Amino acid sequence: MPPLRPPTLGNLSWRVARNCNGGNCIRVAPSADMIVIGDSKNPDGPLLSYSRAEWAAFVEGVRQGDFDDLM
């Protein structure tokens, strides 16, 4: 399956974590039926996009501690 691409990048409403230190953060934005992820210190850099189902599975994994060993 080819990667999903957001339909438009000009009007995304980006969010970062509340405790972002002002530049070393991942930013996320909803775009139609996808979630787009980028690097806050490189706003013109590459972006990744995931379906909302993929995003929900990732968030649930974070909540369950599946990635705690990475910290």
Short mmCIF file of all heavy atoms in Angstrom, two decimals:
data_model
loop_
_atom_site.label_atom_id
_atom_site.label_comp_id
_atom_site.label_asym_id
_atom_site.label_seq_id
_atom_site.Cartn_x
_atom_site.Cartn_y
_atom_site.Cartn_z
N MET A 1 0.85 -1.17 0.00
CA MET A 1 0.00 0.00 0.00
C MET A 1 0.89 1.24 0.00
O MET A 1 1.82 1.33 0.80
CB MET A 1 -0.90 -0.03 1.23
CG MET A 1 -1.69 1.25 1.39
SD MET A 1 -2.47 1.48 3.00
CE MET A 1 -3.83 0.39 2.88
N PRO A 2 0.66 2.20 -0.88
CA PRO A 2 1.47 3.42 -0.89
C PRO A 2 1.21 4.24 0.38
O PRO A 2 0.13 4.16 0.96
CB PRO A 2 1.00 4.17 -2.13
CG PRO A 2 -0.33 3.60 -2.45
CD PRO A 2 -0.37 2.20 -1.91
N PRO A 3 2.20 5.03 0.82
CA PRO A 3 1.99 5.84 2.03
C PRO A 3 0.89 6.86 1.83
O PRO A 3 0.71 7.39 0.74
CB PRO A 3 3.35 6.52 2.25
CG PRO A 3 4.03 6.45 0.94
CD PRO A 3 3.49 5.24 0.22
N LEU A 4 0.14 7.11 2.88
CA LEU A 4 -0.89 8.14 2.84
C LEU A 4 -0.25 9.51 2.87
O LEU A 4 0.75 9.72 3.54
CB LEU A 4 -1.83 7.99 4.04
CG LEU A 4 -2.59 6.68 4.13
CD1 LEU A 4 -3.34 6.61 5.45
CD2 LEU A 4 -3.56 6.54 2.97
N ARG A 5 -0.82 10.43 2.16
CA ARG A 5 -0.30 11.80 2.14
C ARG A 5 -1.42 12.75 2.52
O ARG A 5 -2.54 12.61 2.06
CB ARG A 5 0.25 12.16 0.77
CG ARG A 5 1.35 11.22 0.35
CD ARG A 5 2.24 11.86 -0.67
NE ARG A 5 3.22 10.90 -1.12
CZ ARG A 5 4.43 10.79 -0.59
NH1 ARG A 5 4.79 11.55 0.38
NH2 ARG A 5 5.28 9.90 -1.05
N PRO A 6 -1.10 13.75 3.36
CA PRO A 6 -2.15 14.70 3.72
C PRO A 6 -2.60 15.48 2.49
O PRO A 6 -1.80 15.81 1.62
CB PRO A 6 -1.46 15.62 4.73
CG PRO A 6 -0.02 15.33 4.65
CD PRO A 6 0.16 14.01 3.99
N PRO A 7 -3.89 15.79 2.39
CA PRO A 7 -4.40 16.49 1.21
C PRO A 7 -3.89 17.91 1.09
O PRO A 7 -3.72 18.42 0.01
CB PRO A 7 -5.92 16.47 1.41
CG PRO A 7 -6.11 16.23 2.86
CD PRO A 7 -4.93 15.46 3.34
N THR A 8 -3.64 18.56 2.20
CA THR A 8 -3.10 19.92 2.17
C THR A 8 -2.25 20.13 3.41
O THR A 8 -2.56 19.63 4.47
CB THR A 8 -4.21 20.99 2.09
OG1 THR A 8 -3.59 22.27 2.10
CG2 THR A 8 -5.17 20.89 3.25
N LEU A 9 -1.18 20.86 3.25
CA LEU A 9 -0.31 21.12 4.38
C LEU A 9 -0.38 22.57 4.83
O LEU A 9 0.14 22.91 5.87
CB LEU A 9 1.13 20.76 4.03
CG LEU A 9 1.36 19.29 3.72
CD1 LEU A 9 2.80 19.05 3.32
CD2 LEU A 9 0.99 18.42 4.89
N GLY A 10 -1.04 23.42 4.08
CA GLY A 10 -1.04 24.84 4.38
C GLY A 10 -1.85 25.25 5.60
O GLY A 10 -1.55 26.24 6.23
N ASN A 11 -2.87 24.49 5.95
CA ASN A 11 -3.76 24.91 7.01
C ASN A 11 -3.82 23.94 8.18
O ASN A 11 -4.86 23.77 8.80
CB ASN A 11 -5.18 25.11 6.44
CG ASN A 11 -5.21 26.22 5.43
OD1 ASN A 11 -4.59 27.26 5.62
ND2 ASN A 11 -5.91 26.00 4.34
N LEU A 12 -2.74 23.27 8.47
CA LEU A 12 -2.74 22.32 9.57
C LEU A 12 -2.68 23.05 10.91
O LEU A 12 -2.02 24.08 11.05
CB LEU A 12 -1.55 21.36 9.46
CG LEU A 12 -1.57 20.42 8.26
CD1 LEU A 12 -0.31 19.57 8.24
CD2 LEU A 12 -2.80 19.55 8.25
N SER A 13 -3.37 22.51 11.88
CA SER A 13 -3.37 23.05 13.23
C SER A 13 -2.44 22.19 14.08
O SER A 13 -2.85 21.17 14.62
CB SER A 13 -4.80 23.03 13.78
OG SER A 13 -4.81 23.53 15.09
N TRP A 14 -1.18 22.61 14.15
CA TRP A 14 -0.15 21.82 14.82
C TRP A 14 -0.29 21.89 16.34
O TRP A 14 -0.65 22.92 16.89
CB TRP A 14 1.24 22.31 14.43
CG TRP A 14 1.57 22.02 13.01
CD1 TRP A 14 1.57 22.91 11.98
CD2 TRP A 14 1.94 20.76 12.45
NE1 TRP A 14 1.93 22.28 10.82
CE2 TRP A 14 2.16 20.96 11.08
CE3 TRP A 14 2.11 19.49 12.98
CZ2 TRP A 14 2.54 19.93 10.22
CZ3 TRP A 14 2.49 18.46 12.13
CH2 TRP A 14 2.70 18.69 10.77
N ARG A 15 0.05 20.79 17.00
CA ARG A 15 0.09 20.71 18.46
C ARG A 15 1.42 20.09 18.88
O ARG A 15 1.96 19.24 18.18
CB ARG A 15 -1.01 19.80 18.99
CG ARG A 15 -2.39 20.24 18.63
CD ARG A 15 -3.38 19.25 19.18
NE ARG A 15 -4.66 19.41 18.54
CZ ARG A 15 -5.69 18.65 18.78
NH1 ARG A 15 -5.60 17.67 19.64
NH2 ARG A 15 -6.83 18.86 18.16
N VAL A 16 1.90 20.52 20.02
CA VAL A 16 3.07 19.90 20.65
C VAL A 16 2.71 19.58 22.09
O VAL A 16 1.72 20.09 22.63
CB VAL A 16 4.32 20.82 20.60
CG1 VAL A 16 4.77 21.08 19.18
CG2 VAL A 16 4.08 22.12 21.33
N ALA A 17 3.51 18.76 22.73
CA ALA A 17 3.26 18.39 24.12
C ALA A 17 3.30 19.63 25.02
O ALA A 17 4.05 20.58 24.75
CB ALA A 17 4.28 17.37 24.59
N ARG A 18 2.53 19.59 26.09
CA ARG A 18 2.50 20.71 27.03
C ARG A 18 3.87 21.03 27.60
O ARG A 18 4.17 22.18 27.89
CB ARG A 18 1.53 20.41 28.17
CG ARG A 18 0.11 20.44 27.76
CD ARG A 18 -0.81 20.23 28.95
NE ARG A 18 -2.15 20.00 28.46
CZ ARG A 18 -2.82 18.88 28.64
NH1 ARG A 18 -2.30 17.90 29.34
NH2 ARG A 18 -4.03 18.75 28.15
N ASN A 19 4.69 20.02 27.81
CA ASN A 19 6.01 20.25 28.40
C ASN A 19 7.11 20.34 27.34
O ASN A 19 8.27 20.14 27.65
CB ASN A 19 6.33 19.17 29.44
CG ASN A 19 6.40 17.78 28.85
OD1 ASN A 19 6.02 17.57 27.71
ND2 ASN A 19 6.87 16.83 29.62
N CYS A 20 6.76 20.72 26.13
CA CYS A 20 7.76 20.92 25.07
C CYS A 20 8.72 22.02 25.52
O CYS A 20 8.31 23.06 26.02
CB CYS A 20 7.06 21.32 23.78
SG CYS A 20 8.20 21.65 22.43
N ASN A 21 10.00 21.79 25.31
CA ASN A 21 11.01 22.75 25.77
C ASN A 21 11.29 23.85 24.77
O ASN A 21 12.32 24.49 24.84
CB ASN A 21 12.29 22.01 26.16
CG ASN A 21 12.97 21.38 24.96
OD1 ASN A 21 12.51 21.52 23.83
ND2 ASN A 21 14.04 20.67 25.21
N GLY A 22 10.42 24.06 23.83
CA GLY A 22 10.58 25.18 22.92
C GLY A 22 11.30 24.86 21.62
O GLY A 22 11.67 25.76 20.89
N GLY A 23 11.51 23.61 21.29
CA GLY A 23 12.13 23.34 20.01
C GLY A 23 12.48 21.90 19.73
O GLY A 23 12.60 21.51 18.59
N ASN A 24 12.61 21.09 20.74
CA ASN A 24 12.97 19.70 20.53
C ASN A 24 11.76 18.81 20.72
O ASN A 24 11.74 17.94 21.58
CB ASN A 24 14.09 19.29 21.49
CG ASN A 24 15.37 20.02 21.18
OD1 ASN A 24 15.71 20.19 20.03
ND2 ASN A 24 16.06 20.45 22.20
N CYS A 25 10.75 19.04 19.89
CA CYS A 25 9.48 18.33 20.09
C CYS A 25 8.96 17.78 18.77
O CYS A 25 9.24 18.30 17.70
CB CYS A 25 8.44 19.28 20.65
SG CYS A 25 8.93 20.03 22.19
N ILE A 26 8.16 16.76 18.90
CA ILE A 26 7.39 16.25 17.77
C ILE A 26 6.10 17.06 17.75
O ILE A 26 5.51 17.32 18.79
CB ILE A 26 7.11 14.76 17.93
CG1 ILE A 26 8.42 13.98 17.80
CG2 ILE A 26 6.09 14.28 16.92
CD1 ILE A 26 8.28 12.51 18.10
N ARG A 27 5.66 17.44 16.57
CA ARG A 27 4.39 18.14 16.45
C ARG A 27 3.43 17.25 15.67
O ARG A 27 3.85 16.47 14.81
CB ARG A 27 4.58 19.49 15.76
CG ARG A 27 5.13 19.40 14.36
CD ARG A 27 5.45 20.76 13.82
NE ARG A 27 5.80 20.64 12.40
CZ ARG A 27 5.59 21.57 11.50
NH1 ARG A 27 5.05 22.72 11.86
NH2 ARG A 27 5.92 21.40 10.25
N VAL A 28 2.17 17.34 16.00
CA VAL A 28 1.15 16.52 15.34
C VAL A 28 -0.02 17.41 14.94
O VAL A 28 -0.27 18.45 15.55
CB VAL A 28 0.65 15.37 16.26
CG1 VAL A 28 1.78 14.43 16.60
CG2 VAL A 28 0.00 15.90 17.51
N ALA A 29 -0.70 17.00 13.88
CA ALA A 29 -1.85 17.76 13.39
C ALA A 29 -2.84 16.81 12.72
O ALA A 29 -2.43 15.88 12.02
CB ALA A 29 -1.42 18.83 12.39
N PRO A 30 -4.13 17.05 12.92
CA PRO A 30 -5.12 16.28 12.19
C PRO A 30 -5.26 16.81 10.76
O PRO A 30 -5.14 18.01 10.54
CB PRO A 30 -6.41 16.51 12.98
CG PRO A 30 -6.21 17.84 13.63
CD PRO A 30 -4.74 17.97 13.89
N SER A 31 -5.47 15.91 9.82
CA SER A 31 -5.68 16.30 8.44
C SER A 31 -6.62 15.28 7.80
O SER A 31 -6.21 14.15 7.52
CB SER A 31 -4.36 16.34 7.68
OG SER A 31 -4.57 16.64 6.32
N ALA A 32 -7.87 15.67 7.64
CA ALA A 32 -8.91 14.77 7.10
C ALA A 32 -8.94 13.50 7.94
O ALA A 32 -9.14 13.58 9.14
CB ALA A 32 -8.67 14.50 5.63
N ASP A 33 -8.71 12.35 7.35
CA ASP A 33 -8.76 11.09 8.09
C ASP A 33 -7.38 10.61 8.51
O ASP A 33 -7.18 9.42 8.74
CB ASP A 33 -9.49 10.03 7.27
CG ASP A 33 -8.80 9.73 5.95
OD1 ASP A 33 -7.93 10.54 5.54
OD2 ASP A 33 -9.13 8.72 5.32
N MET A 34 -6.41 11.53 8.62
CA MET A 34 -5.05 11.17 8.99
C MET A 34 -4.54 12.05 10.13
O MET A 34 -5.10 13.09 10.42
CB MET A 34 -4.13 11.35 7.78
CG MET A 34 -4.43 10.42 6.65
SD MET A 34 -3.38 10.72 5.23
CE MET A 34 -4.08 12.23 4.64
N ILE A 35 -3.45 11.60 10.72
CA ILE A 35 -2.68 12.39 11.67
C ILE A 35 -1.30 12.59 11.05
O ILE A 35 -0.68 11.64 10.59
CB ILE A 35 -2.55 11.67 13.03
CG1 ILE A 35 -3.93 11.41 13.64
CG2 ILE A 35 -1.66 12.46 13.97
CD1 ILE A 35 -4.70 12.65 14.02
N VAL A 36 -0.85 13.83 11.01
CA VAL A 36 0.43 14.18 10.40
C VAL A 36 1.41 14.49 11.53
O VAL A 36 1.06 15.15 12.51
CB VAL A 36 0.28 15.40 9.47
CG1 VAL A 36 1.60 15.73 8.80
CG2 VAL A 36 -0.79 15.14 8.43
N ILE A 37 2.65 14.00 11.39
CA ILE A 37 3.68 14.19 12.40
C ILE A 37 4.88 14.87 11.76
O ILE A 37 5.31 14.51 10.66
CB ILE A 37 4.12 12.84 13.00
CG1 ILE A 37 2.91 12.15 13.63
CG2 ILE A 37 5.23 13.03 14.02
CD1 ILE A 37 3.20 10.75 14.10
N GLY A 38 5.43 15.87 12.46
CA GLY A 38 6.62 16.57 11.99
C GLY A 38 7.53 16.95 13.14
O GLY A 38 7.20 16.75 14.31
N ASP A 39 8.64 17.53 12.81
CA ASP A 39 9.65 17.97 13.78
C ASP A 39 9.48 19.47 14.01
O ASP A 39 9.59 20.26 13.08
CB ASP A 39 11.03 17.66 13.22
CG ASP A 39 12.17 17.97 14.15
OD1 ASP A 39 11.98 18.70 15.14
OD2 ASP A 39 13.28 17.48 13.88
N SER A 40 9.26 19.86 15.26
CA SER A 40 9.00 21.28 15.54
C SER A 40 10.19 22.18 15.23
O SER A 40 10.01 23.34 14.91
CB SER A 40 8.56 21.47 16.99
OG SER A 40 9.61 21.14 17.88
N LYS A 41 11.42 21.68 15.31
CA LYS A 41 12.57 22.53 15.04
C LYS A 41 12.91 22.58 13.55
O LYS A 41 13.79 23.32 13.14
CB LYS A 41 13.77 22.08 15.88
CG LYS A 41 14.34 20.74 15.56
CD LYS A 41 15.47 20.40 16.54
CE LYS A 41 15.96 19.00 16.38
NZ LYS A 41 14.98 17.96 16.65
N ASN A 42 12.20 21.80 12.74
CA ASN A 42 12.40 21.80 11.30
C ASN A 42 11.03 21.83 10.61
O ASN A 42 10.61 20.83 10.01
CB ASN A 42 13.21 20.57 10.88
CG ASN A 42 13.58 20.60 9.42
OD1 ASN A 42 13.39 21.59 8.72
ND2 ASN A 42 14.10 19.50 8.93
N PRO A 43 10.31 22.96 10.69
CA PRO A 43 8.93 23.01 10.18
C PRO A 43 8.79 22.76 8.68
O PRO A 43 7.72 22.39 8.22
CB PRO A 43 8.45 24.41 10.55
CG PRO A 43 9.67 25.18 10.85
CD PRO A 43 10.73 24.22 11.28
N ASP A 44 9.85 22.94 7.92
CA ASP A 44 9.80 22.68 6.48
C ASP A 44 10.34 21.30 6.12
O ASP A 44 10.47 20.98 4.95
CB ASP A 44 10.58 23.76 5.72
CG ASP A 44 9.95 25.13 5.87
OD1 ASP A 44 8.70 25.20 5.89
OD2 ASP A 44 10.69 26.12 6.01
N GLY A 45 10.65 20.52 7.14
CA GLY A 45 11.23 19.19 6.92
C GLY A 45 10.18 18.15 6.54
O GLY A 45 9.00 18.47 6.36
N PRO A 46 10.62 16.91 6.46
CA PRO A 46 9.71 15.84 6.05
C PRO A 46 8.62 15.60 7.09
O PRO A 46 8.78 15.91 8.27
CB PRO A 46 10.62 14.62 5.94
CG PRO A 46 11.80 14.94 6.79
CD PRO A 46 11.96 16.43 6.76
N LEU A 47 7.51 15.07 6.62
CA LEU A 47 6.36 14.76 7.48
C LEU A 47 6.00 13.29 7.31
O LEU A 47 6.21 12.71 6.25
CB LEU A 47 5.16 15.61 7.10
CG LEU A 47 5.33 17.12 7.20
CD1 LEU A 47 4.11 17.81 6.62
CD2 LEU A 47 5.56 17.53 8.64
N LEU A 48 5.45 12.72 8.35
CA LEU A 48 4.90 11.37 8.30
C LEU A 48 3.40 11.49 8.47
O LEU A 48 2.92 12.35 9.21
CB LEU A 48 5.48 10.52 9.43
CG LEU A 48 6.99 10.34 9.43
CD1 LEU A 48 7.43 9.64 10.71
CD2 LEU A 48 7.43 9.56 8.21
N SER A 49 2.64 10.63 7.82
CA SER A 49 1.20 10.65 8.00
C SER A 49 0.71 9.23 8.27
O SER A 49 1.21 8.26 7.69
CB SER A 49 0.49 11.25 6.79
OG SER A 49 0.80 10.55 5.61
N TYR A 50 -0.25 9.13 9.19
CA TYR A 50 -0.80 7.85 9.60
C TYR A 50 -2.32 7.95 9.63
O TYR A 50 -2.87 9.01 9.92
CB TYR A 50 -0.29 7.47 11.00
CG TYR A 50 1.20 7.28 11.02
CD1 TYR A 50 2.05 8.32 11.37
CD2 TYR A 50 1.75 6.07 10.64
CE1 TYR A 50 3.42 8.15 11.38
CE2 TYR A 50 3.12 5.88 10.65
CZ TYR A 50 3.95 6.93 11.01
OH TYR A 50 5.31 6.75 11.00
N SER A 51 -2.97 6.84 9.39
CA SER A 51 -4.42 6.82 9.51
C SER A 51 -4.79 7.02 10.98
O SER A 51 -3.97 6.81 11.88
CB SER A 51 -4.99 5.48 9.02
OG SER A 51 -4.65 4.44 9.93
N ARG A 52 -6.00 7.44 11.21
CA ARG A 52 -6.44 7.63 12.60
C ARG A 52 -6.42 6.31 13.37
O ARG A 52 -6.15 6.29 14.56
CB ARG A 52 -7.80 8.29 12.64
CG ARG A 52 -7.70 9.75 12.22
CD ARG A 52 -9.04 10.45 12.30
NE ARG A 52 -8.91 11.81 11.83
CZ ARG A 52 -8.73 12.87 12.62
NH1 ARG A 52 -8.66 12.71 13.91
NH2 ARG A 52 -8.63 14.07 12.11
N ALA A 53 -6.68 5.19 12.70
CA ALA A 53 -6.62 3.88 13.36
C ALA A 53 -5.18 3.56 13.78
O ALA A 53 -4.95 3.04 14.88
CB ALA A 53 -7.17 2.80 12.44
N GLU A 54 -4.22 3.85 12.91
CA GLU A 54 -2.81 3.62 13.27
C GLU A 54 -2.40 4.50 14.44
O GLU A 54 -1.72 4.06 15.37
CB GLU A 54 -1.90 3.90 12.06
CG GLU A 54 -2.03 2.89 10.96
CD GLU A 54 -1.33 3.33 9.69
OE1 GLU A 54 -1.36 4.52 9.33
OE2 GLU A 54 -0.75 2.44 9.03
N TRP A 55 -2.82 5.76 14.40
CA TRP A 55 -2.51 6.70 15.49
C TRP A 55 -3.12 6.21 16.80
O TRP A 55 -2.48 6.22 17.84
CB TRP A 55 -2.99 8.10 15.13
CG TRP A 55 -2.73 9.10 16.20
CD1 TRP A 55 -3.66 9.65 17.04
CD2 TRP A 55 -1.48 9.68 16.57
NE1 TRP A 55 -3.05 10.54 17.89
CE2 TRP A 55 -1.71 10.57 17.62
CE3 TRP A 55 -0.18 9.53 16.09
CZ2 TRP A 55 -0.69 11.30 18.22
CZ3 TRP A 55 0.84 10.26 16.69
CH2 TRP A 55 0.58 11.13 17.73
N ALA A 56 -4.38 5.77 16.76
CA ALA A 56 -5.05 5.28 17.97
C ALA A 56 -4.33 4.06 18.54
O ALA A 56 -4.17 3.95 19.76
CB ALA A 56 -6.51 4.94 17.66
N ALA A 57 -3.86 3.17 17.67
CA ALA A 57 -3.12 2.00 18.14
C ALA A 57 -1.80 2.42 18.80
O ALA A 57 -1.42 1.86 19.84
CB ALA A 57 -2.85 1.05 16.98
N PHE A 58 -1.12 3.40 18.23
CA PHE A 58 0.12 3.89 18.82
C PHE A 58 -0.13 4.53 20.19
O PHE A 58 0.55 4.23 21.16
CB PHE A 58 0.79 4.90 17.88
CG PHE A 58 1.98 5.58 18.50
CD1 PHE A 58 3.15 4.89 18.71
CD2 PHE A 58 1.90 6.92 18.88
CE1 PHE A 58 4.25 5.51 19.29
CE2 PHE A 58 2.99 7.54 19.46
CZ PHE A 58 4.17 6.84 19.66
N VAL A 59 -1.12 5.41 20.27
CA VAL A 59 -1.44 6.08 21.53
C VAL A 59 -1.81 5.05 22.60
O VAL A 59 -1.38 5.15 23.75
CB VAL A 59 -2.56 7.13 21.33
CG1 VAL A 59 -3.08 7.65 22.66
CG2 VAL A 59 -2.04 8.28 20.47
N GLU A 60 -2.58 4.06 22.23
CA GLU A 60 -2.94 3.02 23.19
C GLU A 60 -1.70 2.26 23.67
O GLU A 60 -1.57 1.95 24.85
CB GLU A 60 -3.96 2.05 22.58
CG GLU A 60 -4.46 1.00 23.54
CD GLU A 60 -5.16 1.57 24.77
OE1 GLU A 60 -5.70 2.69 24.71
OE2 GLU A 60 -5.16 0.88 25.80
N GLY A 61 -0.77 2.02 22.76
CA GLY A 61 0.49 1.38 23.15
C GLY A 61 1.29 2.22 24.12
O GLY A 61 1.87 1.71 25.08
N VAL A 62 1.30 3.53 23.91
CA VAL A 62 1.98 4.44 24.84
C VAL A 62 1.30 4.37 26.21
O VAL A 62 1.97 4.24 27.23
CB VAL A 62 1.99 5.89 24.30
CG1 VAL A 62 2.47 6.86 25.36
CG2 VAL A 62 2.85 5.99 23.06
N ARG A 63 -0.01 4.44 26.21
CA ARG A 63 -0.76 4.39 27.48
C ARG A 63 -0.52 3.09 28.24
O ARG A 63 -0.49 3.08 29.46
CB ARG A 63 -2.25 4.55 27.21
CG ARG A 63 -2.64 5.95 26.84
CD ARG A 63 -4.12 6.07 26.63
NE ARG A 63 -4.46 7.44 26.30
CZ ARG A 63 -5.44 7.80 25.47
NH1 ARG A 63 -6.21 6.87 24.91
NH2 ARG A 63 -5.67 9.06 25.22
N GLN A 64 -0.36 1.99 27.51
CA GLN A 64 -0.16 0.70 28.16
C GLN A 64 1.30 0.45 28.54
O GLN A 64 1.61 -0.59 29.11
CB GLN A 64 -0.66 -0.42 27.25
CG GLN A 64 -2.15 -0.42 27.09
CD GLN A 64 -2.64 -1.56 26.21
OE1 GLN A 64 -1.88 -2.43 25.82
NE2 GLN A 64 -3.91 -1.54 25.89
N GLY A 65 2.19 1.37 28.19
CA GLY A 65 3.59 1.23 28.57
C GLY A 65 4.44 0.42 27.60
O GLY A 65 5.57 0.04 27.93
N ASP A 66 3.93 0.18 26.39
CA ASP A 66 4.66 -0.62 25.42
C ASP A 66 6.02 -0.04 25.03
O ASP A 66 6.89 -0.76 24.55
CB ASP A 66 3.84 -0.81 24.14
CG ASP A 66 2.60 -1.66 24.35
OD1 ASP A 66 2.46 -2.28 25.43
OD2 ASP A 66 1.75 -1.69 23.44
N PHE A 67 6.21 1.26 25.23
CA PHE A 67 7.44 1.92 24.79
C PHE A 67 8.26 2.47 25.96
O PHE A 67 9.22 3.21 25.76
CB PHE A 67 7.10 3.04 23.82
CG PHE A 67 6.26 2.58 22.67
CD1 PHE A 67 4.90 2.85 22.63
CD2 PHE A 67 6.81 1.84 21.62
CE1 PHE A 67 4.10 2.40 21.59
CE2 PHE A 67 6.02 1.40 20.57
CZ PHE A 67 4.67 1.66 20.55
N ASP A 68 7.88 2.12 27.18
CA ASP A 68 8.56 2.66 28.37
C ASP A 68 10.05 2.33 28.39
O ASP A 68 10.85 3.09 28.92
CB ASP A 68 7.91 2.16 29.65
CG ASP A 68 6.55 2.79 29.90
OD1 ASP A 68 6.15 3.68 29.12
OD2 ASP A 68 5.90 2.38 30.87
N ASP A 69 10.43 1.22 27.80
CA ASP A 69 11.86 0.83 27.80
C ASP A 69 12.71 1.75 26.90
O ASP A 69 13.93 1.70 26.96
CB ASP A 69 12.02 -0.61 27.35
CG ASP A 69 11.56 -0.85 25.93
OD1 ASP A 69 10.46 -0.36 25.57
OD2 ASP A 69 12.28 -1.52 25.18
N LEU A 70 12.08 2.61 26.11
CA LEU A 70 12.82 3.50 25.22
C LEU A 70 13.21 4.80 25.92
O LEU A 70 13.95 5.62 25.37
CB LEU A 70 11.99 3.83 23.98
CG LEU A 70 11.61 2.62 23.12
CD1 LEU A 70 10.68 3.06 22.00
CD2 LEU A 70 12.84 1.92 22.60
N MET A 71 12.72 5.01 27.12
CA MET A 71 12.98 6.27 27.83
C MET A 71 14.09 6.08 28.85
O MET A 71 14.36 5.08 29.35
CB MET A 71 11.72 6.77 28.52
CG MET A 71 10.67 7.03 27.50
SD MET A 71 9.04 7.63 28.02
CE MET A 71 9.07 7.91 29.71
#
